[in-house]
Amino acid sequence: METSADAPPQTFYDGVKARFAEARDVRLGYRPEGTAQYTSDLTGALAKYEIDPHADDGAARAPIADTVECLFIGGGFSALLTAARLRERGVESIRIVERGADVGGTWYWNRYPGAACDVPAVDYLPLLDEMDYVPERLYAKGPEIFAHCQAIARRYDLYDLAVFRTTVISTTWDETERLWRIGTDRGDAMKARFVICANGTLSKPKLSKIAGMETFAGDSFHSSRWDYAFTGEDLCGLADKVVGIIGTGASAVQAIPRLARAAKELYVFQRTPSSIDFRNDRPTDPDWVARLKPGWQQARRMKHMRGREQDAAKRAELAALSREEKILRQENANIDHMMRIHRRIEEIVEDPATAEALKPWYMFMCKRPCFDDEYLPAYNRPNVHLVDTGGKGITRINARGPVFEGREYPLDVLIYATGFEVQRTGIYNEIRGRDGREINQTYADGLRTLFGVHTHGYPNLFIMGGYQASFQFNLTFMLQTQGDHIAECIAYARDHGHAEIDVSPHTEEWWVNEVIAHRGKTSRNQDCTPGYYNFEGQFNRRQDGNYNGGFLQYYTHMQAVRNELDAHFVFA
Ligand code: NDP
């Protein structure tokens, strides 16, 4: 984002910033309870929102009581990428224990119409070198990504020992046997030398707590549990139906254009608009593919991570600025970007009031940005109605549908696109390390990890995708980085005949301080409109979040630690 020479006066930027603050305060004022406004306790009347629509009844099976070397809790990309590296290092005994009926994680569950990834497929789809695969288009759609996950599992023989439709509920370190004991909801009593928590960051669907929601008489489901039995595979079942969708985050933005085309009427209940930029999807250039050399994806990823060196003149110019000037520059450029997003809405959406309501009033990246060419035009259809709640959200639902400002919206089907619980380690799972200490107890005064992966007192346990790790828009690259690291740690322990690998307290303390040093440098988190990026506006300890020192730094630190494993870990 660059500021142009004919930029507006500073008073313009100050005015926009004030408007951002106003929008945040309005939204926060309605839901001051932060993350408590949601529930992910999907039991009782809400249990149906978590039922897997993709699995059959799941034949009963005898409980398993065996021992494997590496056990993954979860079968999404975290598990697949790490398991691939373990296989390359000769580890044979690998088990995935997965709640769904197949591997794929996010891409197993999220099959809503239009599901696709916003990161270019050549970057997002992992192991393309190893799988000898080049995606056909710039952006991969859900089914292609899910199929890629299955192909990885087949290629690395991960189906053999995998256990599906099974949820790990306890993971307990056995001091005598120096193994983890894993209990599941199917009565299994498995044991594993190494356990990798690969259960994802946004895996458990959450619902906004809305008065009367359990009384709704029509069909209703969460976006990650799409009810194709009701909608029909091609949504043809909606042709005579009035459909409502709550939420306008990344899931809803992809589903809404398809719903708009299929439904008789569509009501979109919006609390905060997303920023929508162009997508411009296109086929992969065959000439580019023809020029690819073996190892191209890894080379491309490393090039991206290192970034382009800033030229000397630019570096000198930046160095001459004070901290305040740098922040001001960044903020103004960010506002310029958001004003372009606003102009795009004005150009596409015909009804001025609808266009106005769709404008996001917050800094770019306060919320997950969206990229879609069909979302905004959907509002020009006569059957699509935006119900803008001005930051309040839907707070009441009756048997017929949502009620807002005294008006009832009768619906045949209501879709909750209200997102996912952000989790730190095990979601359904209690983890007890040395002395039976539960991991949340260990984290009671703040997260304590090395790289978000290791915690002292939890030997042979590795956590993927959690906090205190670097945040990457291209999540699979981050997960691959962690997977490579974990596989090397495990291989080192095995090769040296060690039964245990535990991070040293000293190294863990170093990393916690590293995380703290890079967090809370700006007021960005407090200034942003609430969402899961900033813990819904709640206060958060500086160590309880992502490592903000940059991905290259994260990667470099990991490599440095791996070069001296004996100095940073206690082996036994
Ligand atoms: P989000 O958490 O991003 O969105 C939840 C939505 O529900 C928000 O718009 C929220 O409003 C709204 N909401 C919550 N309660 C209410 C209420 N009572 N009334 C009205 N609206 C309400 O969930 P998503 O599933 O959309 O996305 C989660 C994440 O998954 C994304 O951020 C992204 O990381 C990933 N994803 C990526 C995709 C991609 O690559 N294209 C596609 C889909 C998901 P408010 O903003 O005010 O809180």
Side-chain angles (χ1 to χ4, degrees):
M1 281 181 274
E2 295 285 324
T3 353
S4 67
D6 54 353
Q10 189 55 40
T11 47
F12 167 79
Y13 295 106
D14 295 342
V16 174
K17 247 190 105 176
R19 177 102 191 250
F20 286 176
E22 212 177 291
R24 175 208 56 210
D25 290 347
V26 166
R27 164 71 175 76
L28 257 180
Y30 285 125
R31 287 286 193 171
E33 66 269 46
T35 50
Q37 70 184 280
Y38 289 103
T39 180
S40 48
D41 177 18
L42 303 183
T43 53
L46 301 182
K48 68 170 186 163
Y49 293 105
E50 212 171 9
I51 291 173
D52 181 353
H54 314 301
D56 55 25
D57 287 342
R61 61 163 175 80
I64 300 169
D66 61 1
T67 303
V68 295
E69 188 158 18
C70 295
L71 185 141
F72 288 88
I73 303 175
F77 273 134
S78 297
L80 298 172
L81 302 183
T82 311
R85 295 295 185 242
L86 286 168
R87 282 278 192 254
E88 288 165 6
R89 287 166 175 78
V91 178
E92 285 173 7
S93 170
I94 299 176
R95 167 170 294 150
I96 285 172
V97 183
E98 163 60 51
R99 191 168 161 81
D102 205 336
V103 297
T106 289
W107 302 102
Y108 170 86
W109 295 106
N110 287 281
R111 301 192 206 184
Y112 59 81
C117 185
D118 286 349
V119 177
V122 292
D123 297 313
Y124 181 76
L125 285 181
L127 299 176
L128 292 182
D129 296 324
E130 292 81 349
M131 302 295 290
D132 196 19
Y133 178 63
V134 182
E136 282 172 16
R137 299 190 65 82
L138 179 57
Y139 296 107
K141 296 192 171 54
E144 182 184 2
I145 307 174
F146 181 32
H148 189 64
C149 292
Q150 293 171 312
I152 294 172
R154 280 195 300 273
R155 156 81 198 269
Y156 291 96
D157 293 327
L158 300 174
Y159 279 116
D160 288 354
L161 276 179
V163 183
F164 294 110
R165 306 211 59 194
T166 303
T167 303
V168 172
I169 54 175
S170 66
T171 303
T172 311
W173 177 246
D174 183 325
E175 205 78 59
T176 318
E177 286 204 64
R178 297 164 128 188
L179 294 168
W180 285 97
R181 291 178 173 274
I182 296 102
T184 75
D185 63 345
R186 291 208 177 213
D188 301 310
M190 306 170 191
K191 291 189 240 175
R193 174 75 61 205
F194 301 99
V195 167
I196 299 101
C197 294
N199 38 251
T201 27
L202 298 169
S203 319
K204 194 164 173 26
K206 68 176 161 55
L207 295 171
S208 182
K209 290 180 191 161
I210 302 176
M213 63 194 296
E214 65 289 345
T215 65
F216 178 63
D219 193 56
S220 64
F221 52 86
H222 186 271
S223 56
S224 69
R225 302 288 188 274
W226 198 270
D227 184 3
Y228 280 104
F230 182 88
T231 65
E233 276 303 322
D234 52 2
L235 306 188
C236 57
L238 299 179
D240 59 348
K241 300 285 188 291
V242 182
V243 179
I245 184 163
I246 295 184
T248 47
S251 299
V253 163
Q254 293 183 329
I256 283 167
R258 280 89 200 163
L259 290 171
R261 287 198 289 272
K264 185 172 136 209
E265 303 289 338
L266 174 66
Y267 288 89
V268 179
F269 300 96
Q270 172 182 273
R271 187 164 69 183
T272 310
S274 281
S275 78
I276 315 287
D277 216 335
F278 59 84
R279 187 165 191 82
N280 212 0
D281 190 17
R282 54 191 178 271
T284 308
D285 176 4
D287 294 335
W288 177 79
V289 176
R291 290 196 303 273
L292 292 176
K293 302 207 166 54
W296 65 268
Q297 192 189 39
Q298 180 60 10
R300 180 182 164 90
R301 284 185 159 187
M302 297 309 288
K303 194 172 159 197
H304 275 195
M305 184 170 62
R306 298 215 155 87
R308 259 166 286 154
E309 289 287 311
Q310 283 173 332
D311 66 57
K314 182 123 191 166
R315 272 204 308 272
E317 189 193 330
L318 280 176
L321 294 177
S322 70
R323 185 170 173 274
E324 289 69 28
E325 283 170 324
K326 274 187 208 149
I327 291 176
L328 192 70
R329 226 186 224 215
Q330 277 171 3
E331 283 181 350
N332 289 358
N334 192 313
I335 290 169
D336 284 341
H337 181 81
M338 290 308 278
M339 294 305 108
R340 184 177 66 72
I341 296 285
H342 283 198
R343 282 195 296 279
R344 188 163 178 265
I345 299 168
E346 286 164 7
E347 282 157 20
I348 296 173
V349 179
E350 288 158 11
D351 174 51
T354 306
E356 208 47 43
L358 285 166
K359 288 180 182 171
W361 289 97
Y362 47 78
M363 289 282 182
F364 185 65
M365 285 308 289
C366 275
K367 279 185 176 290
R368 165 67 153 75
C370 298
F371 306 86
D372 202 283
D373 296 332
E374 295 174 274
Y375 178 72
L376 294 172
Y379 290 96
N380 294 334
R381 299 178 67 101
N383 66 325
V384 177
H385 318 280
L386 179 68
V387 183
D388 178 38
T389 64
K392 186 172 189 187
I394 292 301
T395 53
R396 175 158 296 279
I397 294 177
N398 68 22
R400 283 175 297 278
V403 181
F404 181 67
E405 289 186 339
R407 181 175 161 190
E408 185 184 85
Y409 293 87
L411 304 173
D412 295 304
V413 55
L414 175 57
I415 300 153
Y416 291 96
T418 47
F420 303 86
E421 183 186 287
V422 181
Q423 54 84 212
R424 307 198 294 204
T425 45
I427 336 175
Y428 307 93
N429 179 18
E430 182 187 83
I431 301 169
R432 292 192 179 275
R434 288 197 207 282
D435 307 321
R437 200 170 158 80
E438 213 274 316
I439 204 160
N440 288 307
Q441 214 181 320
T442 302
Y443 293 163
D445 294 327
L447 285 180
R448 299 199 60 78
T449 77
L450 170 64
F451 304 140
V453 172
H454 317 262
T455 288
H456 177 67
Y458 298 81
N460 299 2
L461 183 87
F462 306 88
I463 297 161
M464 298 188 73
Y467 284 143
Q468 295 201 346
S470 179
F471 171 78
Q472 276 302 293
F473 207 60
N474 183 8
L475 188 62
T476 59
F477 189 14
M478 223 294 289
L479 296 175
Q480 184 71 77
T481 303
Q482 291 190 332
D484 292 354
H485 172 81
I486 292 167
E488 243 182 271
C489 289
I490 290 176
Y492 185 89
R494 289 171 97 233
D495 295 349
H496 291 79
H498 300 308
E500 290 177 27
I501 168 172
D502 195 1
V503 62
S504 79
H506 178 257
T507 297
E508 183 185 89
E509 178 68 13
W510 161 71
W511 186 250
V512 171
N513 286 325
E514 261 301 290
V515 173
I516 290 171
H518 289 282
R519 286 183 65 80
K521 284 184 182 168
T522 68
S523 59
R524 181 71 186 267
N525 250 14
Q526 298 95 287
D527 294 346
C528 272
T529 192
Y532 78 85
Y533 274 16
N534 67 348
F535 317 97
E536 301 293 339
Q538 278 173 192
F539 166 77
N540 223 52
R541 273 181 295 250
R542 278 173 79 170
Q543 72 203 71
D544 290 357
N546 301 317
Y547 166 66
N548 289 341
F551 189 39
L552 180 58
Q553 271 301 320
Y554 182 73
Y555 179 88
T556 309
H557 280 312
M558 260 188 170
Q559 277 200 323
V561 163
R562 286 211 297 276
N563 287 340
E564 290 190 306
L565 282 175
D566 282 309
H568 298 288
F569 289 88
V570 181
F571 290 97

